[in-house]
Amino acid sequence: MLKRNLYLYYLLLFIVIGGAIFLPYWLTDTTLIWSHDGLKQHLPALITWHETLRHLVFDHQWPNFWQAHQGFGQDYFQTYAYYVMGDIFTYPSLLFKESALATYYSVSVIIRLILAGLSFIFVIRRLPITISNHGVLLGALVYTFSGYANFAAFRHSFFLNPLIIFPLLILAVHQATIHKKYGGLILMTWWTLWNNFYFAFILGLGALIYWLSMNHLHKTWRQQGLTILSVGIGALLSAPLLIPTITQFFQATRSASTFANGLLFYPISYYLTFGDQLINVSTAPQFWFNGGLLALSIVALVHYVTQLPHKWHLVLPTLLLLLPTGAAVFNGFSAPSNRWTMLAIFPVALLTGKMLDALSALQNRTLLVAGGIGVFGYLGLLLGNGFSLNNSSNLIYGLYFITILLLATRLSERQRRLIVSVISVISLLVLFNHTHANDLKATKSELISSANLKAITKQIHMLTALTDRSMRTLVSGNLLSNLNTDDASSNLPNALKLNSVGSYWSLQPVSTSNALRLVATQTSTPNDAINTLDNRNVLSNVLGIKTRIDTLGAPQPASYINKNGLNIANYTSYVSANSYPLFTLPKYQVSLANYRKLSATQREATLADSVVTSKPSKQRSAFAKQVSAVAVATDSTGKWQDKIHYRYATHASTLPDGFYIKLAKAQKQTELHLELTNIKYVPYSFRRQKQQALADYRFTQNQTLANPQSTVNNQFNPHAYTYTWLKQHAVNAFDQNTGYTMTTTYGTNENTVTQTSQSNLSFYQKRDHLTINLGTAQTIKLADLVALNFSQPGTYSFDISVQAIPVGASFDKVAQTAIATAPKSVQLKKDAITGNVTVKKSRILASSIPYNHGWHSKTNQLVEIDDGFLGIKLHRGTNQIKVTYTSPNVYLGLWSAVIGAVILISFIFWQYKSQHKH
């Protein structure tokens, strides 16, 4: 009965377990859209792709290859291929209205989970594996609801696709290798590569390892060759999406990331809490490792590992889990992410099911080892939670140890199988609900409700009335500040036609990042290059930001003024009259070599009246010469200099730490930039951190006692404080935290810069120099304090200089000249730049369009300017400009698919003839 209805029983169990998990979200009007990447990346990508699909199917129109309103402009493939273009589960969205996409998104999460389990059952029943139907059923539930799926379902829905694909890919490899059936391998290779190039890399490595492990079954070189040919055909068929996407990847910021974030070993806390990570599931997993394994799964691993004839098979997974370099290799030679563990859950689920059939073979030592892993895990949990016994994970560990004890009893195998199966299902449910317990709490949820999403959508649509859609707009990150989210830009305004330059995608154009890196915008990150441009006035104008959408009364760069007084849900527009057009004719041409010798602020000023090229030139920017150094000193009565060395060691104090500046009269209408170089941070040792924390505690008490109006703290107890501090921080006793924040305060203007730690997989970048916008100049001729506040205890040292860049009348003159001399006829429309420009001598038409190899022209030579933007060389006389954009290698991808189709047809015909002959 169970054999005939295995899929039905799985679906019934999914309805029970899934209903217990997801029904509360439906009852509370909560979507499954994460307020971080879900709201800022995944939903906007789906909205845009939905529009693309409808135009493609109903109007037969493909979108522009160049998306002018994504950031400063970027390629369509570069933006959307990673998220939606290859995700077949997004294709049915074209049948629904845009207003229904949030619901569609949530439902698709559940559908993907269901299909993951069905894929597991389908494959296990077709591999030469001896396992009962009860074992298959439990294995499918483990595969569907364990750690990786538990986390990904609520964070990155398309991360579930590999769980569906991987078993089918393994089956296809098996069928080709053993049974000489190649159709499945061609199909699965195509789907794997079409779905997502990043996951294809991980899945491909997994399939390759499986294929190599079957080498002893390869009977002939001919058979191996046909297997490789099948993979090649599938790859060619996926080429229309794969080739342009990979091409764009190598023009993206991520392709130049630091290997393994510079780590040789993980932090000690990772190893100390490894057992807990194996059993528990976290909403903020260390290095993307979320085990979420059942007790029966741990028992199965111990049991079957001890039976392995060749223990060297354990070397690879051990190295991958314990060394950052292994995880980095499987993560595309970038950050040390353990997303590869999605491959491991397939054999783990299989062994769990097989273990259910072999309970009689269990040995006491196996249960002792599994129990020891549970103890190690619980100790890691206690260590990571300050040794608090009042922990929400206690139920998870209680079920874990109950399972171990039940397996050790003398109950019949049938009784143990039944009871353990029930407890395992309950454990999966408890794990899921434990992980996402806060998502049903109104004040703590990181998921957005349908009502709030509609309100945000409505607000963004209303804000479009404040902007000129033909010009660039920057939307403040405060737009989503009422959600539990981060400070990254959101792509939602763009998806809803507000046309913000905010661009928060996994693949950012490296040209944009390079250009902004040279002017040292401290808000730039690998995934969010533009962000707020650190609210720098000259840079914002030069890059064409016409309008800034922000809250009423929020401080703005000097040129941006609120003239209309409109108030839409406490938001308004600030407009600049100095915003540069997309194309300008700069007066000066500066060599890249000389440009790089300037300070970050001087480079920013150079962009206001000059174009930077690789061609040697002795010209200098006139406006950059107006940048001046501000006098700085370590104290208000000290020696004033252009540059000082600053050193700070964490200490208890009521007075702010920092340095002093003194402005000259000529620096009145300027914006001040704090330029830090040779930045070094040495964290305090654990012992010194404890001493500093105790010193801060004593200092606070002494300050209280010194103030007669303060209430005396009669609970003051240094010994108890030290004891509590040690418990709470013991997990980090041997770690060196490389991350910190530094906040500058000048007058009323605050600015915070972040050095992310090496455990941050998306935003890590080593910062040894920074430029921080202090705001507009304030007091003249008097010593002003610039306060510095550091978040982590340790020693900080760096060199300080402060540069003043004009933002008043002198910049107005430069900006208005650039606007007046800009060619009015040159425009960017639908993948083409066209217009007529007449010049008296050879010049360069500058743009703030990111440089990309997809730009081509038969009329003018194209050059990279400003170390990241597109320039057009103009000859003397009239230039009839026509520059077009096509995604690089898009036609190579199409022709590759045609070749793949021809080879496929030939292959099918050849196989048919061979079979007919035999």
Side-chain angles (χ1 to χ4, degrees):
M1 181 71 175
L2 180 58
K3 183 177 182 180
R4 292 197 304 268
N5 298 293
L6 191 57
Y7 296 104
L8 177 60
Y9 275 101
Y10 166 75
L11 291 173
L12 289 174
L13 281 170
F14 187 95
I15 290 172
V16 173
I17 301 172
I21 293 170
F22 297 110
L23 186 59
Y25 294 94
W26 179 73
L27 294 174
T28 57
D29 191 40
T30 304
T31 71
L32 300 184
I33 299 172
W34 189 28
S35 60
H36 295 254
D37 290 0
L39 185 61
K40 295 182 174 186
Q41 292 182 330
H42 308 157
L43 182 62
L46 180 60
I47 291 172
T48 304
W49 181 236
H50 167 264
E51 182 182 9
T52 295
L53 287 172
R54 292 181 70 89
H55 283 306
L56 189 62
V57 173
F58 301 125
D59 304 325
H60 310 298
Q61 292 181 355
W62 181 253
N64 295 338
F65 288 118
W66 186 255
Q67 297 288 294
H69 294 296
Q70 289 293 344
F72 296 137
Q74 62 190 74
D75 186 271
Y76 190 94
F77 285 91
Q78 188 175 57
T79 308
Y80 297 113
Y82 178 75
Y83 298 95
V84 289
M85 291 182 70
D87 182 1
I88 63 173
F89 298 104
T90 63
Y91 297 173
S93 67
L94 68 89
L95 302 175
F96 299 88
K97 295 180 179 179
E98 182 182 301
S99 58
L101 289 181
T103 302
Y104 181 88
Y105 180 98
S106 299
V107 172
S108 74
V109 171
I110 301 172
I111 291 173
R112 293 174 212 248
L113 282 172
I114 293 172
L115 291 175
L118 292 176
S119 172
F120 178 87
I121 296 171
F122 179 83
V123 170
I124 293 301
R125 276 288 156 243
R126 282 158 179 79
L127 290 175
I129 298 170
T130 303
I131 182 173
S132 70
N133 288 297
H134 287 94
V136 174
L137 203 54
L138 181 60
L141 294 175
V142 169
Y143 191 70
T144 305
F145 293 106
S146 284
Y148 177 87
N150 184 331
F151 179 73
F154 286 78
R155 295 296 180 262
H156 310 277
S157 62
F158 65 98
F159 280 30
L160 296 174
N161 291 5
L163 293 181
I164 305 168
I165 294 171
F166 187 59
L168 298 172
L169 183 61
I170 291 298
L171 177 62
V173 172
H174 180 84
Q175 294 280 35
T177 304
I178 305 301
H179 303 294
K180 302 180 183 179
K181 295 180 179 179
Y182 303 103
L185 185 56
I186 294 172
L187 175 63
M188 289 313 303
T189 301
W190 169 82
W191 189 14
T192 301
L193 295 170
W194 184 268
N195 173 69
N196 181 290
F197 74 95
Y198 164 71
F199 285 117
F201 178 79
I202 301 174
L203 294 171
L205 287 177
L208 177 63
I209 292 170
Y210 178 75
W211 184 65
L212 292 174
S213 71
M214 300 174 67
N215 258 329
H216 64 286
L217 299 174
H218 297 166
K219 297 178 180 179
T220 63
W221 284 103
R222 177 175 177 273
Q223 192 171 342
Q224 293 188 47
L226 290 175
T227 300
I228 295 171
L229 175 63
S230 300
V231 172
I233 292 172
L236 286 172
L237 293 175
S238 70
L241 181 56
L242 180 66
I243 290 179
T245 303
I246 291 179
T247 302
Q248 290 301 325
F249 170 75
F250 288 107
Q251 295 189 49
T253 309
R254 281 289 187 92
S255 64
S257 61
T258 304
F259 178 72
N261 282 8
L263 291 170
L264 292 177
F265 298 96
Y266 289 116
I268 300 298
S269 59
Y270 173 86
Y271 302 107
L272 292 175
T273 61
F274 183 81
D276 183 50
Q277 296 174 70
L278 196 64
I279 297 168
N280 220 330
V281 180
S282 170
T283 54
Q286 290 194 69
F287 300 97
W288 245 93
F289 178 55
N290 253 331
L293 298 184
L294 300 175
L296 186 62
S297 300
I298 301 289
V299 169
L301 285 173
V302 175
H303 175 75
Y304 288 106
V305 162
T306 55
Q307 293 183 352
L308 280 175
H310 304 292
K311 298 297 188 290
W312 61 266
H313 288 132
L314 300 175
V315 173
L316 180 60
T318 301
L319 290 177
L320 288 176
L321 280 173
L322 299 183
L323 295 178
T325 49
V329 168
F330 261 73
N331 196 44
F333 297 88
S334 57
S337 170
N338 283 300
R339 288 174 184 161
W340 67 269
T341 53
M342 65 184 173
L343 307 178
I345 195 62
F346 178 68
V348 167
L350 170 60
L351 293 178
T352 303
K354 284 181 66 67
M355 192 73 259
L356 194 66
D357 299 338
L359 296 182
S360 60
L362 274 177
Q363 298 179 352
N364 288 334
R365 65 178 183 180
T366 299
L367 296 176
L368 283 172
V369 172
I373 292 173
V375 171
F376 176 62
Y378 192 68
L379 289 175
L381 173 70
L382 292 177
L383 186 65
N385 287 275
F387 293 95
S388 173
L389 295 174
N390 184 21
N391 196 290
S392 59
S393 294
N394 285 340
L395 180 57
I396 293 170
Y397 279 93
L399 291 168
Y400 182 95
F401 290 115
I402 288 172
T403 304
I404 299 293
L405 291 173
L406 278 169
L407 291 172
T409 62
R410 294 184 179 180
L411 294 171
S412 68
E413 184 173 351
R414 182 178 180 182
Q415 289 174 319
R416 284 188 296 168
R417 185 184 298 120
L418 177 62
I419 297 173
V420 168
S421 296
V422 172
I423 293 177
S424 295
V425 170
I426 293 172
S427 297
L428 290 172
L429 181 58
V430 169
L431 263 174
F432 231 103
N433 285 327
H434 161 74
T435 307
H436 306 287
N438 285 336
D439 287 335
L440 289 170
K441 297 177 182 178
T443 58
K444 295 183 178 181
S445 178
E446 292 189 350
L447 301 179
I448 187 167
S449 71
S450 296
N452 285 336
L453 180 58
K454 290 176 183 176
I456 291 172
T457 301
K458 181 180 179 181
Q459 182 182 358
I460 291 174
H461 281 307
M462 292 172 65
L463 288 172
T464 57
L466 302 178
T467 67
D468 179 352
R469 291 182 61 187
S470 65
M471 305 293 287
R472 287 174 174 166
T473 298
L474 193 151
V475 179
S476 166
N478 294 327
L479 190 62
L480 304 177
S481 60
N482 62 325
L483 301 172
N484 289 322
T485 186
D486 48 42
D487 294 328
S489 299
S490 174
N491 300 309
L492 191 58
N494 254 339
L496 299 176
K497 310 304 180 187
L498 186 53
N499 295 343
S500 169
V501 295
S503 177
Y504 174 48
W505 301 108
S506 287
L507 298 182
Q508 294 283 337
V510 70
S511 51
T512 301
S513 297
N514 286 345
L516 295 178
R517 176 176 50 81
L518 285 181
V519 293
T521 51
Q522 64 90 358
T523 52
S524 293
T525 67
N527 284 11
D528 187 14
I530 299 170
N531 201 273
T532 64
L533 295 175
D534 200 20
N535 296 321
R536 282 154 67 166
N537 186 69
V538 173
L539 187 62
S540 296
N541 279 290
V542 168
L543 294 177
I545 309 297
K546 181 68 175 178
T547 307
R548 297 172 65 96
I549 303 292
D550 209 338
T551 52
L552 280 168
Q556 300 297 319
S559 297
Y560 293 85
I561 301 169
N562 177 227
K563 294 181 177 180
N564 56 34
L566 291 176
N567 179 358
I568 298 178
N570 200 38
Y571 281 81
T572 191
S573 61
Y574 300 85
V575 181
S576 172
N578 290 333
S579 171
Y580 282 39
L582 193 58
F583 301 96
T584 58
L585 284 169
K587 184 176 181 180
Y588 305 102
Q589 183 172 323
V590 177
S591 72
L592 183 60
N594 289 332
Y595 180 70
R596 288 177 172 171
K597 293 176 184 178
L598 303 174
S599 70
T601 305
Q602 289 171 330
R603 292 174 193 157
E604 179 179 344
T606 297
L607 298 180
D609 63 358
S610 307
V611 60
V612 180
T613 70
S614 57
K615 183 180 177 180
S617 172
K618 295 182 179 180
Q619 292 185 358
R620 298 289 188 273
S621 162
F623 186 62
K625 295 175 183 178
Q626 297 183 42
V627 174
S628 58
V630 177
V632 293
T634 53
D635 60 73
S636 58
T637 58
K639 181 181 178 181
W640 296 99
Q641 304 173 72
D642 289 345
K643 191 173 187 178
I644 59 173
H645 182 73
Y646 183 84
R647 185 179 183 278
Y648 171 81
T650 305
H651 62 278
S653 174
T654 55
L655 298 175
D657 293 284
F659 65 96
Y660 289 83
I661 61 174
K662 183 184 285 187
L663 297 170
K665 185 177 180 181
Q667 295 170 332
K668 186 175 182 180
Q669 290 186 314
T670 60
E671 183 178 87
L672 305 183
H673 293 173
L674 170 60
E675 297 190 353
L676 307 180
T677 55
N678 301 316
I679 300 173
K680 293 182 177 63
Y681 166 58
V682 180
Y684 277 170
S685 66
F686 184 73
R687 182 169 177 268
R688 194 169 179 187
Q689 286 182 50
K690 183 202 71 173
Q691 293 173 342
Q692 184 59 52
L694 184 58
D696 291 341
Y697 179 67
R698 292 182 185 277
F699 182 82
T700 302
Q701 176 69 1
N702 291 334
Q703 290 296 112
T704 302
L705 294 174
N707 186 352
Q709 296 181 342
S710 298
T711 303
V712 177
N713 179 14
N714 292 318
Q715 293 181 318
F716 179 72
N717 187 336
H719 299 293
Y721 177 84
T722 302
Y723 173 73
T724 303
W725 188 93
L726 285 171
K727 287 200 305 178
Q728 293 174 344
H729 295 83
V731 68
N732 298 314
F734 304 101
D735 291 344
Q736 290 287 307
N737 182 13
T738 57
Y740 62 87
T741 62
M742 179 179 68
T743 300
T744 63
T745 305
Y746 171 59
T748 58
N749 189 62
E750 277 193 1
N751 201 346
T752 299
V753 60
T754 301
Q755 169 62 70
T756 53
S757 72
Q758 289 169 288
S759 61
N760 191 305
L761 302 182
S762 296
F763 297 99
Y764 174 73
Q765 53 182 338
K766 177 63 177 174
R767 293 181 147 179
D768 53 12
H769 63 279
L770 287 168
T771 297
I772 304 169
N773 182 11
L774 297 177
T776 53
Q778 297 179 18
T779 310
I780 304 298
K781 293 187 177 181
L782 295 176
D784 268 339
L785 172 70
V786 177
L788 302 177
N789 182 268
F790 303 91
S791 64
Q792 297 297 324
T795 301
Y796 301 80
S797 65
F798 38 78
D799 296 322
I800 288 177
S801 67
V802 176
Q803 302 284 309
I805 182 170
V807 292
S810 57
F811 174 63
D812 293 346
K813 182 178 179 181
V814 172
Q816 291 304 313
T817 300
I819 294 169
T821 57
K824 305 298 186 292
S825 66
V826 182
Q827 294 182 327
L828 168 63
K829 288 184 178 180
K830 295 183 178 180
D831 293 333
I833 300 169
T834 57
N836 297 327
V837 182
T838 301
V839 290
K840 295 180 180 179
K841 62 178 181 178
S842 176
R843 297 183 68 176
I844 291 180
L845 179 65
S847 80
S848 52
I849 299 171
Y851 184 83
N852 188 295
H853 294 297
W855 290 107
H856 302 282
S857 176
K858 293 181 179 180
T859 60
N860 298 82
Q861 183 183 348
L862 305 181
V863 293
E864 184 175 5
I865 63 169
D866 305 340
D867 208 27
F869 293 113
L870 177 68
I872 303 172
K873 275 194 173 183
L874 304 177
H875 55 77
R876 189 178 68 175
T878 300
N879 294 257
Q880 293 183 333
I881 297 171
K882 186 171 183 181
V883 181
T884 57
Y885 183 84
T886 305
S887 292
N889 293 327
V890 67
Y891 293 114
L892 174 62
L894 291 172
W895 279 112
S896 298
V898 172
I899 294 171
V902 171
I903 297 174
L904 175 61
I905 294 169
S906 303
F907 184 57
I908 293 172
F909 181 72
W910 174 78
Q911 276 210 308
Y912 173 79
K913 284 192 67 176
S914 299
Q915 291 172 1
H916 186 70
K917 180 179 179 181
H918 290 302

